Amino acid sequence: MQYNIALLKGDGIGPEIVDSAVAVLERIGAKFGHDFRFTPYLIGGCAIDAVGMPLPQETVDGCLASDSVLLGAVGGPKWDHLSGEQRPEKALLGIRAALGLYTNLRPAKLFPALRGASPLRADLVSAGFDIMIVRELTGGIYFGDRGYRTGRYGEEAFDTEAYSVHEIERIGRAAFEIAMKRSRRLTSVDKANVLETSRLWRKTMHRLAEEYPEVAYQDLFVDNAAMQLVRNPQQFDVIVTSNMFGDILSDEASQLTGSIGMLASASLGETTRGMYEPIHGSAPDIAGQNKANPIATILSAAMMLRYAFGLTDEAKCIEDAVDAVLAAGFRTADLIGDSDAACCSCTEMTAEILKAIG
Ligand code: IPM
Ligand code: MG
């Protein structure tokens, strides 16, 4: 079977980590008899440099014509002076919207070998944790009206958050369905004591909860959720939340797994295509130095196999290989804190994972 994958390598460490994931997919293809074809497209700062805009139409069209999309990261100091509309990050929001990817799955799972790399006390992570953060990805304050105006104290900037019942319902339903396939516990995170959007969010989630009586549902305010995550991450199974709260809580949760370099993500919509990317950024400080941790991108490729192509055994093969390599003590620089093992480069880590796949 042939699968056409659009590659959006982007900026900073993007090209290195996407190359690692491509090597892994090629190995999986050889092992299981699949033909993965890759077509690169420009996105972010590299697209600004090449064609003067962060999200060329050719990139959108190429993604729409592909079976799935693998993305590295965008942005860097070189483009920081640009206005909001021209920035590399705008392309990321643009491609998420263009592909209709409103459901963002960010699994924060502690690999047993990385218990010592978690900043939490050993007794808090002794049983591990496995949290699925379901982040709304195409609405909220990321996409609301924004701008500048003259206010009471002179010039001011504003951003607005809006959520429709429709948007809340579809992300809520996605989260309840995921909870049904896991341990049937769902936490919805909002700020309903302050925000009107959160009150509508909560009301809508409660209505959905009646349709899913098997799911143990709870609400948490976002400040409490941020605290509970570091107090006792094991209490959570599935967390559903808005675009911005999900952005913040997933970075927090990622660090509990040892490093932000570990967290994969799947962005899904109404088609099977989806887009797969690590949750971390382009890490310009280590770009081009072969120091990046490729695991988040490799695990994102595993999510692609599972969600876009239904290749469950192949996805599991990648996840088991990562598990085995970590258990054998291999660590990239971001993970080195807990291990005496020599620190490996991006390409060395990739080579170990390829070996473990066999
Ligand atoms: C993420 C990133 C992006 C986001 C940025 C780069 C726009 O932080 O994917 O979490 O905020 O969504
Ligand atoms: Mg983020």
Side-chain angles (χ1 to χ4, degrees):
M1 178 87 178
Q2 185 181 313
Y3 300 97
N4 295 308
I5 300 170
L7 290 184
L8 311 182
K9 297 187 183 184
D11 310 314
I13 59 170
E16 303 162 56
I17 55 179
V18 170
D19 287 348
S20 293
V22 166
V24 166
L25 285 172
E26 280 175 338
R27 178 64 58 91
I28 290 288
K31 180 168 170 153
F32 291 87
H34 306 299
D35 183 8
F36 298 113
R37 304 271 171 100
F38 303 97
T39 315
Y41 295 97
L42 293 170
I43 192 165
C46 62
I48 296 172
D49 290 351
V51 296
M53 61 183 94
L55 183 60
Q57 189 59 40
E58 196 195 339
T59 298
V60 177
D61 294 342
C63 291
L64 285 169
S66 70
D67 297 319
S68 195
V69 183
L70 183 66
L71 181 132
V74 298
K78 186 173 174 196
W79 307 283
D80 273 348
H81 65 281
L82 296 171
S83 75
E85 285 303 302
Q86 328 256 304
R87 290 179 63 97
E89 291 80 1
K90 186 74 190 176
L92 192 51
L93 305 193
I95 192 73
R96 289 169 179 170
L99 302 180
L101 307 173
Y102 58 84
T103 304
N104 183 217
L105 307 183
R106 299 190 157 192
K109 185 180 162 203
L110 183 61
F111 281 88
L114 291 185
R115 274 180 202 163
S118 174
L120 292 186
R121 235 173 36 222
D123 60 304
L124 296 177
V125 293
S126 56
F129 58 83
D130 181 358
I131 305 169
M132 181 62 90
I133 298 180
V134 182
R135 172 189 178 193
E136 199 290 324
L137 203 61
T138 54
I141 199 165
Y142 274 56
F143 289 90
D145 284 343
R146 70 186 85 247
Y148 287 82
R149 63 190 170 202
T150 304
R152 191 169 163 197
Y153 302 105
E155 188 193 33
E156 64 181 27
F158 66 96
D159 298 274
T160 50
E161 166 142 310
Y163 267 118
S164 62
V165 173
H166 169 74
E167 290 170 299
I168 302 167
E169 247 174 31
R170 66 185 182 180
I171 189 71
R173 213 171 276 289
F176 274 102
E177 290 295 331
I178 288 162
M180 286 294 286
K181 293 190 196 123
R182 294 173 48 110
S183 70
R184 301 189 172 185
R185 286 177 295 126
L186 176 63
T187 302
S188 170
V189 173
D190 63 36
K191 189 71 185 175
N193 49 349
V194 177
L195 302 177
E196 213 52 58
T197 40
S198 283
R199 286 190 272 273
L200 184 64
W201 179 282
R202 190 173 280 214
K203 191 171 128 196
T204 308
M205 289 293 167
H206 284 196
R207 210 177 56 237
L208 283 177
E210 286 172 19
E211 289 179 39
Y212 294 89
E214 305 91 335
V215 175
Y217 172 91
Q218 68 164 340
D219 306 295
L220 275 190
F221 293 137
V222 63
D223 47 351
N224 187 12
M227 184 266 283
Q228 295 294 339
L229 265 174
V230 290
R231 192 185 74 86
N232 175 19
Q234 290 162 195
Q235 70 183 290
F236 293 110
D237 179 25
V238 182
I239 293 176
V240 62
T241 192
S242 66
N243 205 340
M244 186 159 73
F245 294 161
D247 179 44
I248 298 167
L249 293 179
S250 59
D251 266 33
E252 184 190 5
S254 78
Q255 193 57 47
L256 305 181
T257 72
S259 163
I260 193 169
M262 294 299 300
L263 236 71
S265 92
S267 303
L268 310 172
E270 298 296 345
T271 70
T272 55
R273 182 187 311 109
M275 185 167 82
Y276 297 82
E277 56 171 308
I279 80 152
H280 60 69
S282 60
D285 53 322
I286 57 162
Q289 298 173 36
N290 198 16
K291 283 186 187 163
N293 182 351
I295 293 179
T297 317
I298 289 170
L299 291 174
S300 300
M303 292 184 89
M304 174 190 287
L305 296 181
R306 178 173 287 120
Y307 292 105
F309 307 146
L311 301 175
T312 318
D313 292 344
E314 290 82 342
K316 180 116 193 344
C317 177
I318 296 178
E319 289 155 0
D320 288 348
V322 169
D323 202 3
V325 166
L326 292 171
F330 294 99
R331 300 284 185 276
T332 41
D334 55 315
L335 291 167
I336 207 71
D338 79 309
S339 165
D340 316 326
C343 150
C344 46
S345 66
C346 180
T347 47
E348 283 164 353
M349 179 56 93
T350 307
E352 289 305 326
I353 292 170
L354 292 176
K355 237 190 276 171
I357 289 170

